[in-house]
Amino acid sequence: MTKELLKVTDLSIANVGPATPRPILKNLSLSVAESETLAILGRSGAGKSVLGRALMGWVDAPLGVTSGRITLEGQDVLGANPDALRRIRGTGIGYVGADPTRVFDPTLPVGRQIADKYRAVRPEVSAKEAMERVHELFSLVRIPEARHRMAELPSKYSGGMIQRAAIVDAMIGETKLVIADNVTQPLDVTVAAQIIRLFQDLRERLGTAFLFITSSVPTIKDFADRIVVMDQGEIVEEGPTPQLLAAPRTEASEKLIAQSPRIWGTTAPESLSAEDIRDMPPALSITALRRTYKVPRKDKLFGSVFVQAVRGADFDVYPGESLAIVGESGCGKSTLMRLLTWLEEPDDGSVQFHGKNVGSFTARERFDLRAQLQLVLQDPYGSIPAHWTIGRTISESLRLHSPLKGKARRARVEETMAEVGLDPALYDKLPSGLSAGQRQRINVARAIVLEPTVLLLDETFSALDPMEQTPLIELFRKLQRERSITCIFISHDLALVRRVASRVAVMYLGRIVEIGSNHNVFSRPLHPYTRALLSAAPTIEDSPYDPNECLVDGEPPSPIRLPKGCAFADRCPVAQEACMSSDPELMRASERSRVACHFPLAALEPASVKDAAHVG
Amino acid sequence: MIATLSFLTRRLSQGALIVFLAALIVFTLLRIGPGDPARMLAGGLSDQASVDALSKQMGLDDPFIVQFGKYIGGIVTHGDFGHSYIRSENGQSVGGGHGDSAGASNRASVISLILGRLPLSLALAAAGLGLALVISAPIGIWAGLRAGKWPDSVTIMGSSILVSMPSFWIAGLLVLLVSIKLQWLPAVGYSGPKYLILPAIVLAIEMAPIFIRTWSSAISSMTRRDFIRVAPVRGLGSKAVFTRHVLRGAAVPFINTLGVMLTSLIGSLLVIEYVFDFPGLGKLTVEAVMQRDFPLVQAIAIVISTFFVLVNIAVDYVSGLFDPRLDY
Ligand SMILES: Nc1ncnc2c1ncn2[C@@H]1O[C@H](COP(=O)(O)OP(=O)(O)OP(=O)(O)O)[C@@H](O)[C@H]1O
Ligand code: SF4
Ligand SMILES: [Mg+2]
């Protein structure tokens, strides 16, 4: 048994603000050994973050410690005087939170801030040595061009990069334990996977102990030595990772495991088969769509740069199908959405709606198009006016687009509310107090009340937790069956896409790089980027793709300076010479798939993938 | 480097345009306003012929655009702002002659008049501003660090009351008390640095509350920022957090207020110099306007608008040093 590093005994924390204190953590006891990786698992609100902060001696009003002790190598944390506490925080325990953009002063270079911190906790170090140490660690966490990066402001960092810098900040004082609270949550899948790999690497090299706080089982399943499951402020179960995941003993753990995303173990949704689809004219047809933004440059007297947000997107959407567009942040998904709805006009290319070019629509036709093509937005809170009754919110578009009046309009709205699973009695109520799931239903009702033929869903489910997601997905399936609505989902969540889409388009840097049926894309990806996305997807199953082989390094190049050849070439694990010079077009690869790659992975289909899905 | 250069070129050329437009507007307003300078110079008793002659000699018969062109040309080519209509070299008003058409020779050049008065005004402004800054910084910062508690509420209330009192009223009160009743300090005119004290105090009382409020709100909003709140958790000491992050961040709003106060200082100087009969640029301005001394009024307008432009450029530049994200 290795030496015990951190010990928590009988810790209770309560919200002592109100007259009767509300307990938040109840009599927790746990310990972390040297070099151990412990995962704290629990659903949202379980009290994980409160615990994580308390371990740093960070308990702010209205919270207060009501009982218990925390010791680091025998030294009391909660009762430490300010100087001792500062030493514990700088050289004993480091903390990395979910939102690293808020760790640094936005007006100072990142490298200098970390060096300052290092010198604050190790006063014997000189300024020069501190900068050298920062540089060393920046290279260790694989921040490219470390020296140059150190001199930049936090705002110049991407999400993954600033998270790496925050990790350096937490570890620079040679800390023995690093608490990582939800660190991958704000990151894109491939970047999140890189960060997890980085933690594994650091643990092996430095022997630091980690306390990894998360609500996502896949994130820690290959990483943690031991898991502690929390529920409602209590520790309900703990044990070594493989045993606990294989045989959970409590309902809380079971639920967490059952709700974890799966890709290969599930089947693609039933929908119109591809055969039916191809005989119909497309509902929406996009050809060579382009959109470039001109952004003025700061560092030159004159001149501007061009951001190529969408660079020639090409695809058709057939009536009644559900197409998902997946890709990481910044790949142009939302711009594409705005172009499809004609909220913004493309620089080039065309959008055809049931065979008619939207670009040549009259004002009247465009107005009608708005009714036919409805958008359901991402944010369930911001998008619903707080001072309007729910009925008014939903009926607003009827007012503009439909001749229905008075009683008839109300009847239609109530009918729609019932259809999306909202109690029609809520018609005259205000939306305050509704859950995210219910709000999202209002958004859906608002979109379908006009009986549109096409629905665009921009990350509609992302803000919902798995428990709220499932019924909404069911709702969409039902709507599609009954009304044969065409749905276009935009999402970064592969497990979700697997459940809802009949066809999948993968987008990278403003272009569709692969499009095919759900089954083909998930079990026989053709594009190396698709495979990288799949290997990075956090799922509870073992991925058939080995991340070490498929996962891509780095982050997408900026859409300003695009390489001459394939845009993916500098991250592509199978790139060859030809890729550097010529840009692959989106070409037909098989009956139902198209791919933009000179060397598609057709032959590499992994044998381990069962043909679980039968949708072509 | 390039960014700085680009910033300065851009802002200075914009500024030059603004000053030019200000000059044009003042020039126009003076020309279309009531009063004939030639008649005034010639004196009430002169006959029409000599007034006309004088008018011609002064170029007042030329078309407007020619007059303005000559005026600007003089400034740009040899920094010549012309001569006062009224004042002689020794600073006394001579105007209203008796038809002896005093030549431009013994009338004071506008530049020398302004330069003669400027140092006193600058001294007064510096004393007032310095006093305001010295008083306001500690109080404002102290209150800002205790946002929501009583020190903060008290300072906000106190400064609100001070702000709502007109400065001439405060000036009157002080003169009455300190100068007339107690006879500690002289109040009117100027013959030595002692005369600066009372007007400087009035200026400071006018400005300090605004600085106090800026400091307190800037500091308290900084202390609520996430990176300030997690700084102790990263292991930084509270002193370092305060000097390196809180003060730095509060500097930007402070500098912006400073800029606003510097420009509004001009208006305050007009009032206070007049009230205290303090022989500075402010009093000169008031007199020049009342005497319709066009060349002097125009020159002062140009000086003031140049000052406005430079203050604004400096504020933006210095703010950019404290917060490099600001992009002007
Ligand atoms: N500063 C605070 N004041 C009052 N209540 C708080 C405070 N911080 C947390 N809580 C409450 O404590 C409980 C646990 O919150 P905590 O943030 O630790 O959950 P979590 O497990 O980290 O959830 P998530 O997975 O969403 O991050 C919640 O009921 C929350 O409302
Ligand atoms: S074209 Fe080349 S670089 Fe691009 S994805 Fe295909 S193999 Fe990789
Ligand atoms: Mg949390």
Side-chain angles (χ1 to χ4, degrees):
Chain A
M1 177 81 197
T2 40
K3 228 178 85 200
E4 186 175 79
L5 185 64
L6 178 87
K7 187 168 175 60
V8 180
T9 353
D10 197 31
L11 179 71
S12 297
I13 288 180
N15 182 348
V16 292
T20 46
R22 191 170 71 87
I24 288 178
L25 297 185
K26 300 165 204 158
N27 305 89
L28 301 193
S29 296
L30 61 88
S31 67
V32 184
E34 265 177 7
S35 309
E36 183 186 30
T37 300
L38 178 68
I40 307 269
L41 199 60
R43 60 192 177 112
S44 182
K48 308 181 296 290
S49 299
V50 172
L51 172 63
R53 291 170 171 213
L55 298 181
M56 299 289 296
W58 181 13
V59 183
D60 279 344
L63 303 187
V65 178
T66 50
S67 81
R69 243 172 95 76
I70 298 172
T71 54
L72 181 77
E73 294 184 310
Q75 196 189 358
D76 187 20
V77 175
L78 291 174
N81 66 38
D83 258 352
L85 185 59
R86 210 151 63 77
R87 251 192 320 279
I88 291 174
R89 284 167 170 177
T91 61
I93 315 180
Y95 184 88
V96 192
D99 194 350
T101 53
R102 299 188 181 176
V103 171
F104 298 106
D105 187 331
T107 64
L108 286 173
V110 174
R112 196 179 124 198
Q113 295 190 53
I114 301 178
D116 273 356
K117 176 227 157 121
Y118 187 41
R119 296 191 63 205
V121 299
R122 300 249 182 229
E124 70 279 6
V125 176
S126 77
K128 193 155 171 286
E129 284 166 344
M131 284 309 252
E132 274 319 301
R133 173 94 178 125
V134 175
H135 181 240
E136 195 183 303
L137 287 184
F138 264 44
S139 314
L140 182 71
V141 300
R142 278 184 263 130
I143 293 180
E145 301 177 71
R147 241 191 242 285
H148 172 71
R149 281 285 169 193
M150 282 164 62
E152 280 189 340
L153 296 181
S155 50
K156 297 269 159 120
Y157 282 57
S158 66
M161 218 58 96
I162 197 78
Q163 191 62 281
R164 284 165 202 262
I167 293 170
V168 168
D169 189 69
M171 304 190 66
I172 194 163
E174 288 98 26
T175 40
K176 301 176 187 84
L177 171 68
V178 172
I179 298 173
D181 187 352
N182 234 340
V183 284
T184 55
Q185 187 227 335
L187 303 176
D188 272 323
V189 275
T190 61
V191 180
Q194 288 167 14
I195 293 286
I196 295 290
R197 264 213 310 202
L198 172 65
F199 273 112
Q200 280 170 318
D201 185 46
L202 291 175
R203 180 179 54 164
E204 275 158 33
R205 286 215 226 174
L206 308 176
T208 313
F210 285 99
L211 195 100
F212 218 88
I213 298 179
T214 180
S215 52
S216 145
V217 184
T219 314
I220 45 97
K221 75 176 196 314
D222 301 321
F223 174 39
D225 301 317
R226 206 153 54 88
I227 297 179
V228 166
V229 181
M230 276 181 71
D231 194 37
Q232 299 188 3
E234 284 175 282
I235 291 181
V236 295
E237 183 171 356
E238 81 173 275
T241 307
Q243 281 92 319
L244 195 144
L245 291 185
R249 280 170 289 134
T250 56
E251 200 189 328
S253 329
E254 247 169 54
K255 259 209 177 125
L256 281 168
I257 296 168
Q259 278 169 0
S260 300
R262 284 158 213 276
I263 287 180
W264 295 277
T266 57
T267 52
E270 287 174 35
S271 159
L272 296 176
S273 81
E275 307 300 329
D276 303 337
I277 284 170
R278 268 181 303 134
D279 297 337
M280 279 191 240
L284 207 57
S285 179
I286 283 90
T287 334
L289 215 52
R290 270 178 190 285
R291 182 79 177 102
T292 304
Y293 298 103
K294 193 174 159 188
V295 183
R297 294 181 66 143
K298 193 189 168 186
D299 56 338
K300 284 270 169 68
L301 264 179
F302 303 102
S304 19
V305 292
F306 295 92
V307 178
Q308 305 184 38
V310 172
R311 321 178 284 139
D314 255 307
F315 57 88
D316 295 334
V317 191
Y318 296 94
E321 79 163 332
S322 46
L323 174 75
I325 299 172
V326 296
E328 295 179 284
S329 67
C331 74
K333 298 186 299 265
S334 295
T335 308
L336 182 61
M337 195 60 114
R338 288 195 297 275
L339 296 178
L340 292 183
T341 47
W342 217 256
L343 290 172
E344 207 172 281
E345 296 196 15
D347 302 327
D348 204 0
S350 73
V351 175
Q352 304 219 330
F353 188 68
H354 291 294
K356 279 190 74 181
N357 189 344
V358 179
S360 60
F361 272 22
T362 61
R364 176 75 222 174
E365 283 174 314
R366 277 202 196 140
F367 183 72
D368 291 340
L369 176 74
R370 296 245 186 284
Q372 289 278 300
L373 203 145
Q374 285 283 320
L375 194 62
V376 187
L377 291 168
Q378 176 170 12
D379 173 15
Y381 287 90
S383 54
I384 295 173
H387 54 280
W388 283 13
T389 63
I390 292 168
R392 174 159 179 216
T393 300
I394 298 175
S395 59
E396 187 62 15
S397 58
L398 281 179
R399 242 220 275 282
L400 287 173
H401 288 279
S402 133
L404 288 180
K405 290 239 154 37
K407 282 230 171 74
R409 189 195 290 168
R410 182 171 180 133
R412 162 74 82 74
V413 172
E414 287 181 340
E415 205 178 291
T416 313
M417 286 173 74
E419 198 173 349
V420 300
L422 280 173
D423 183 355
L426 289 173
Y427 189 96
D428 294 309
K429 299 264 162 31
L430 291 177
S432 56
L434 293 190
S435 72
Q438 275 175 309
R439 282 164 182 269
Q440 213 51 306
R441 283 169 200 266
I442 297 179
N443 272 332
V444 175
R446 175 154 77 164
I448 65 169
V449 72
L450 284 174
E451 308 194 324
T453 53
V454 177
L455 272 183
L456 290 147
L457 300 105
D458 190 353
E459 300 281 11
T460 301
F461 303 113
S462 308
L464 304 179
D465 70 29
M467 272 203 284
E468 291 171 312
Q469 266 183 13
T470 309
L472 261 182
I473 292 174
E474 286 308 321
L475 171 65
F476 269 96
R477 293 226 181 117
K478 193 182 93 184
L479 288 175
Q480 271 197 300
R481 263 197 317 275
E482 289 170 3
R483 300 190 168 192
S484 82
I485 296 180
T486 311
C487 288
I488 302 177
F489 294 91
I490 289 201
S491 182
H492 67 275
D493 181 345
L494 287 169
L496 178 86
V497 166
R498 172 70 168 161
R499 289 166 72 190
V500 299
S502 53
R503 271 197 315 148
V504 180
V506 180
M507 215 172 159
Y508 187 75
L509 274 179
R511 202 176 268 186
I512 306 285
V513 294
E514 174 163 4
I515 182 165
S517 70
N518 182 316
H519 173 71
N520 282 357
V521 170
F522 280 102
S523 54
R524 217 178 300 136
L526 296 174
H527 199 280
Y529 177 64
T530 310
R531 194 181 60 172
L533 272 183
L534 287 173
S535 78
T539 60
I540 188 128
E541 323 141 84
D542 288 323
S543 164
Y545 307 102
D546 176 8
N548 291 321
E549 188 188 314
C550 312
L551 189 57
V552 293
D553 263 332
E555 290 170 38
S558 99
I560 296 170
R561 248 166 289 118
L562 284 172
K564 178 158 156 271
C566 174
F568 188 56
D570 58 345
R571 304 173 76 198
C572 179
V574 296
Q576 298 183 29
E577 203 128 326
C579 309
M580 307 294 165
S581 51
S582 92
D583 192 6
E585 294 279 316
L586 189 59
M587 305 249 275
R588 170 166 281 248
S590 74
E591 186 85 59
R592 289 164 205 141
S593 306
R594 289 192 300 158
V595 63
C597 172
H598 296 307
F599 308 100
L601 305 162
L604 304 175
E605 182 186 355
S608 63
V609 178
K610 295 184 297 293
D611 265 19
H614 299 289
V615 176
Chain B
M1 200 47 221
I2 290 185
T4 308
L5 220 62
S6 137
F7 168 82
L8 286 179
T9 348
R10 192 159 36 95
R11 293 295 298 266
L12 285 175
S13 47
Q14 280 170 5
L17 184 67
I18 291 172
V19 171
F20 175 82
L21 288 176
L24 178 63
I25 290 169
V26 172
F27 200 87
T28 318
L29 287 179
L30 288 177
R31 293 299 176 286
I32 60 179
D36 176 3
R39 164 139 314 267
M40 211 166 67
L41 275 180
L45 302 174
S46 314
D47 54 37
Q48 190 59 39
S50 54
V51 172
D52 288 347
L54 186 58
S55 186
K56 194 170 171 74
Q57 182 202 334
M58 290 169 67
L60 294 175
D61 291 346
D62 293 339
F64 174 80
I65 210 72
V66 175
Q67 289 185 39
F68 186 65
K70 275 188 187 158
Y71 178 63
I72 291 291
I75 296 173
V76 174
T77 50
H78 18 21
D80 176 15
F81 284 84
H83 287 78
S84 165
Y85 286 169
I86 317 253
R87 283 158 195 272
S88 65
E89 284 298 350
N90 59 25
Q92 296 305 306
S93 299
V94 289
H98 307 283
D100 58 354
S101 89
S105 52
N106 66 3
R107 296 187 190 276
S109 91
V110 164
I111 282 287
S112 68
L113 282 173
I114 292 180
L115 288 183
R117 297 292 192 96
L118 195 60
L120 271 187
S121 284
L122 285 182
L124 176 55
L129 189 66
L131 194 59
L133 292 178
V134 167
I135 297 170
S136 61
I139 299 179
I141 292 171
W142 178 72
L145 288 174
R146 285 158 190 78
K149 305 197 184 115
W150 69 265
D152 189 38
S153 332
V154 168
T155 44
I156 288 183
M157 213 150 65
S159 42
S160 306
I161 293 173
L162 279 184
V163 163
S164 58
M165 290 199 281
S167 55
F168 60 83
W169 191 75
I170 297 178
L173 212 65
L174 272 178
V175 168
L176 199 69
L177 191 73
V178 181
S179 186
I180 298 178
K181 266 242 154 94
L182 300 171
Q183 305 229 319
W184 284 349
L185 289 169
V188 192
Y190 184 83
S191 46
K194 243 185 164 179
Y195 286 79
L196 278 173
I197 300 177
L198 269 188
I201 290 177
V202 176
L203 260 186
I205 291 180
E206 198 181 318
M207 289 186 290
I210 296 169
F211 284 125
I212 289 177
R213 277 208 273 185
T214 305
W215 273 123
S216 101
S217 77
I219 294 276
S220 78
S221 82
M222 279 311 287
T223 56
R224 284 194 300 270
R225 298 280 294 274
D226 287 303
F227 73 91
I228 298 290
R229 292 206 292 199
V230 300
V233 182
R234 292 172 59 214
L236 293 183
S238 49
K239 245 192 238 138
V241 175
F242 178 72
T243 52
R244 267 180 240 162
H245 300 291
V246 176
L247 269 189
R248 261 185 73 87
V252 174
F254 167 70
I255 288 163
N256 279 283
T257 306
L258 185 61
V260 173
M261 293 313 287
L262 276 176
T263 46
S264 76
L265 192 61
I266 294 168
S268 310
L269 280 179
L270 287 185
V271 176
I272 286 169
E273 289 188 3
Y274 195 71
V275 170
F276 284 92
D277 197 24
F278 185 90
L281 196 58
K283 189 162 161 257
L284 183 68
T285 311
V286 177
E287 288 167 357
V289 170
M290 297 214 266
Q291 293 169 331
R292 300 192 190 292
D293 195 348
F294 290 0
L296 193 50
V297 174
Q298 284 159 15
I300 291 176
I302 290 177
V303 168
I304 291 178
S305 55
T306 309
F307 177 72
F308 261 76
V309 163
L310 291 180
V311 164
N312 276 308
I313 296 178
V315 163
D316 287 352
Y317 182 72
V318 177
S319 302
L321 294 183
F322 279 101
D323 187 348
R325 292 170 306 165
L326 298 174
D327 178 11
Y328 294 104

